[in-house]
Amino acid sequence: MRNRRFQYKRLGLLLALSTGLSCVSLGLPLQRALANGWILYQEGNLQPLVGTHTFAGTAGQTVAIALRVNGFTGAVTLIAPNGDEIASNEYYGRSGVPTIVTTLPSSGAYKILARSPYGQAGTYTVNVRVATAYDLAFSRGVQLNQQGDYAGAIAAFNEAIRADPQNPDAYVELGDLLYAEAMRLKPEEARSIVSAYERAAAAYERQGNSDMAQMLRDQIAGIQAEAGLLSPEPVSGQGIR
């Protein structure tokens, strides 16, 4: 019922604009609304849910800012005293705690934006503390992993473990990376496997077994994507013993 009364009021406003104020130059969208006989026309701007917090920072100070959310996906952004965005983070390894580790460029009031980028609602806590050696190493490991420098990330997570052997997060990230490295194919290995599977698929097709041939070609596509091969290698005897 509340929406209906609101719509009636908007209709009255549109009628007033179309009659008593006909001499006023109206914007094109509103003109179209009047011409189409719309009951309601109103523009809006949806923004992600944001909570704002401030703290006093000192130039050269290295801080760790962590956002712990409850029941929704969160992200944290740091704004400098001059209004520039310094850093933003939504994914920080498997911990699920958006975190920024950075050195403050100037002294003044810094603004933290605790965001809900998907429009979800829930409670959260945000904390700022002086970054430790563990924070610095772990943050570097996360960044290197995202950049594809897996060897550098492994070294950084090992450094984080040495700095704080009791923190489980670095062990998890290191384990994930080592497992991925063990499963990751080198390009020459992938090409040999692709060559063998291509030959097998062609043989299955000659036998009339198109299902098996397609299954192998699906595997080929996955192997090429995993190894970063942009195009299939020509079928050859390379790698076949």
Side-chain angles (χ1 to χ4, degrees):
M1 183 63 69
R2 184 181 303 168
N3 290 339
R4 185 176 300 170
R5 287 200 300 271
F6 176 71
Q7 289 175 347
Y8 289 160
K9 289 179 181 178
R10 292 295 300 173
L11 176 60
L13 175 61
L14 291 177
L15 289 175
L17 287 172
S18 65
T19 55
L21 302 178
S22 58
C23 61
V24 178
S25 176
L26 301 177
L28 184 59
L30 185 53
Q31 289 178 0
R32 288 174 178 168
L34 295 174
N36 292 332
W38 292 348
I39 292 177
L40 173 65
Y41 177 84
Q42 190 171 19
E43 294 181 350
N45 184 19
L46 293 175
Q47 295 289 342
L49 300 178
V50 177
T52 303
H53 308 270
T54 59
F55 71 96
T58 304
Q61 187 179 32
T62 301
V63 296
I65 303 168
L67 174 69
R68 296 183 180 275
V69 301
N70 184 19
F72 67 98
T73 299
V76 62
T77 299
L78 179 63
I79 306 296
N82 65 358
D84 290 343
E85 180 178 315
I86 294 178
S88 186
N89 182 259
E90 180 178 342
Y91 176 78
Y92 197 67
R94 276 223 272 167
S95 68
V97 179
T99 302
I100 293 171
V101 178
T102 188
T103 300
L104 304 181
S106 61
S107 298
Y110 284 80
K111 184 184 297 183
I112 299 171
L113 304 181
R115 300 185 291 109
S116 174
Y118 304 108
Q120 302 163 308
T123 59
Y124 66 87
T125 61
V126 61
N127 67 74
V128 184
R129 54 186 171 77
V130 175
T132 64
Y134 174 90
D135 294 322
L136 294 170
F138 188 92
S139 176
R140 188 167 65 255
V142 170
Q143 293 174 5
L144 291 171
N145 188 19
Q146 292 172 345
Q147 295 166 6
D149 184 353
Y150 305 117
I154 288 172
F157 287 129
N158 273 313
E159 182 181 339
I161 290 169
R162 288 192 295 271
D164 184 1
Q166 303 305 315
N167 195 316
D169 291 341
Y171 290 105
V172 171
E173 298 298 326
L174 178 62
D176 286 349
L177 265 174
L178 291 174
Y179 178 79
E181 279 291 275
M183 299 298 291
R184 190 174 288 113
L185 291 171
K186 295 181 175 62
E188 59 272 19
E189 295 171 335
R191 290 189 182 100
S192 293
I193 296 171
V194 166
S195 175
Y197 280 177
E198 282 282 14
R199 285 172 162 270
Y204 275 123
E205 280 188 337
R206 286 193 296 271
Q207 295 175 0
N209 192 342
S210 57
D211 290 341
M212 191 64 180
Q214 185 58 50
M215 183 191 74
L216 287 170
R217 292 207 166 97
D218 290 341
Q219 283 186 258
I220 288 169
I223 292 168
Q224 289 169 337
E226 182 75 19
L229 300 179
L230 299 180
S231 59
E233 290 294 307
V235 177
S236 70
Q238 181 181 3
I240 308 297
R241 298 288 186 268

